[in-house]
Amino acid sequence: MDIPIIFQDDHLLVVNKPVDLPVHKNDFMPHDAPYLTKLIGDETGQWIYNVHRLDSKTSGLIILAKSSEVAHDLTLQFERKEVVKEYATIVLGEVAEEGVFDEKVVVKKKSKFKKSALTRFQRIRTVQTAISYKEHTNVCLSLVRVLPETGRWHQIRQHFAKNRHDIVGDSHHGDFTLNKLIKAEWGFNRLMLHASKLGFTHPITCEKLEFEATLPEEFEQLLEAVAIK
């Protein structure tokens, strides 16, 4: 599996994680299933430590550390909200030009316990489609820039779903009928959520680093495919 390495030195890496690849091993995976830290470890020939979470279904930028000390420092930066995080997503409906979701979200799968979470967003553009189903007629899809200020489980996915702007391809919180229609008609079958920007301080050099990953081709392809010509 080709995993683009955006940055690498003796202490850490920044990679552009492919969609549908777990960051680390979990109990629900087959014993021989691939995961990011193992693949990068095999490629670099050393033990790799994950620093922060990125859902397997979400593509995009993620930091990996080459030592537990560097991983600890980077984790603290995330906890102190010192890391710049930006995502891109495609959602149902025409969202506001900009806004904030400030609502509690559940902290893990099948849990009822909730914690506060804050997600800022800006609409990039909206396309009208010929997709109609249930009570929806010629639905709009919006490309949105997302800036989460907290890092809860599925935070972005939960916030947009709670506000009736389901993320396209979200099989857990989203609009299952919409996802099925898009897959059947145009063949798109992925979560349209991408970690597009990361900024942080290098734990060793203290240099301010910022990285950006271009949108996956599927984002533009989907918007072009569904738009009313």
Side-chain angles (χ1 to χ4, degrees):
M1 181 180 295
D2 181 32
I3 303 174
I5 296 176
I6 309 301
F7 172 85
Q8 179 176 196
D9 64 10
D10 292 337
H11 309 286
L12 59 88
L13 308 93
V14 177
V15 305
N16 189 358
K17 187 186 80 67
V19 68
D20 292 328
L21 178 67
V23 173
H24 51 77
K25 191 173 180 62
N26 63 60
D27 295 335
F28 305 103
M29 294 164 51
H31 75 279
D32 58 347
Y35 53 96
L36 181 65
T37 52
K38 182 181 187 304
L39 293 174
I40 295 297
D42 290 345
E43 184 172 335
T44 59
Q46 61 188 117
W47 191 266
I48 297 297
Y49 299 81
N50 64 293
V51 173
H52 58 115
R53 292 173 295 179
L54 199 61
D55 299 333
S56 65
K57 294 180 181 295
T58 303
S59 59
L61 296 175
I62 189 166
I63 313 169
L64 302 171
K66 295 183 177 181
S67 71
S68 59
E69 293 80 12
V70 168
H72 178 68
D73 187 291
L74 289 165
T75 299
L76 290 177
Q77 289 188 45
F78 277 93
E79 291 177 356
R80 295 192 295 258
K81 302 179 183 179
E82 297 169 352
V83 178
V84 174
K85 298 179 292 181
E86 185 174 314
Y87 293 73
T89 188
I90 298 176
V91 305
L92 173 64
E94 184 174 8
V95 302
E97 286 189 9
E98 59 181 35
V100 179
F101 297 139
D102 186 4
E103 303 162 297
K104 289 184 176 182
V105 297
V106 297
V107 296
K108 62 180 179 179
K109 189 176 182 179
K110 296 183 180 179
S111 170
K112 294 183 179 180
F113 183 66
K114 295 183 178 182
K115 281 190 175 182
S116 59
L118 193 147
T119 303
R120 301 186 184 278
F121 64 88
Q122 298 174 344
R123 187 181 75 220
I124 298 173
R125 74 176 189 272
T126 298
V127 300
Q128 187 174 24
T129 79
I131 300 172
S132 298
Y133 63 101
K134 296 181 180 178
E135 72 277 14
H136 304 291
T137 303
N138 291 357
V139 301
C140 292
L141 296 182
S142 294
L143 178 63
V144 184
R145 178 177 177 240
V146 185
L147 301 98
E149 293 197 5
T150 48
R152 308 300 184 199
W153 175 77
H154 289 189
Q155 174 179 319
I156 297 172
R157 297 162 68 174
Q158 289 192 66
H159 269 162
F160 278 92
K162 281 175 174 285
N163 289 274
R164 298 185 179 181
H165 291 300
D166 305 89
I167 294 178
V168 174
D170 188 345
S171 60
H172 192 92
H173 310 278
D175 187 320
F176 308 123
T177 302
L178 175 64
N179 296 340
K180 185 177 180 181
L181 285 170
I182 288 176
K183 179 182 177 182
E185 183 68 24
W186 294 282
F188 294 98
N189 186 33
R190 64 153 290 176
L191 177 69
M192 293 294 174
L193 181 61
H194 179 71
S196 55
K197 186 178 290 186
L198 268 178
F200 59 95
T201 301
H202 195 292
I204 305 301
T205 67
C206 298
E207 181 183 1
K208 297 287 186 181
L209 301 175
E210 188 169 291
F211 303 95
E212 190 164 357
T214 56
L215 275 180
E217 293 180 353
E218 300 101 316
F219 279 59
E220 289 295 340
Q221 290 171 350
L222 172 61
L223 293 173
E224 173 65 23
V226 302
I228 294 178
K229 306 298 189 290

